[in-house]
Amino acid sequence: MKMKKYLCEPCGYVYDPEVGDPDGGIAPGTAFEDIPDDWVCPVCGLGKDVFIVEE
């Protein structure tokens, strides 16, 4: 099953689980749900609570 991408609503950054966020310590293949709660958007610095599922 393909993992969902998540959109940071305020800035438009898209978290793609296949890519991860290597600069933020998130390995490729990490589902959004498995990212630590203290992770923040690498573009605007806001938390996971502002992300929505990208349809």
Side-chain angles (χ1 to χ4, degrees):
M1 190 179 107
K2 192 167 170 59
M3 289 187 279
K4 289 182 168 70
K5 294 180 182 180
Y6 280 76
L7 171 70
C8 181
E9 275 197 302
C11 79
Y13 168 80
V14 174
Y15 174 77
D16 182 346
E18 293 181 16
V19 176
D21 175 23
D23 293 340
I26 307 301
T30 303
F32 188 79
E33 296 81 5
D34 296 333
I35 296 174
D37 288 337
D38 61 356
W39 177 82
V40 295
C41 175
V43 175
C44 70
L46 293 174
K48 287 177 70 178
D49 58 328
V50 300
F51 281 76
I52 59 167
V53 175
E54 185 180 61
E55 297 300 341

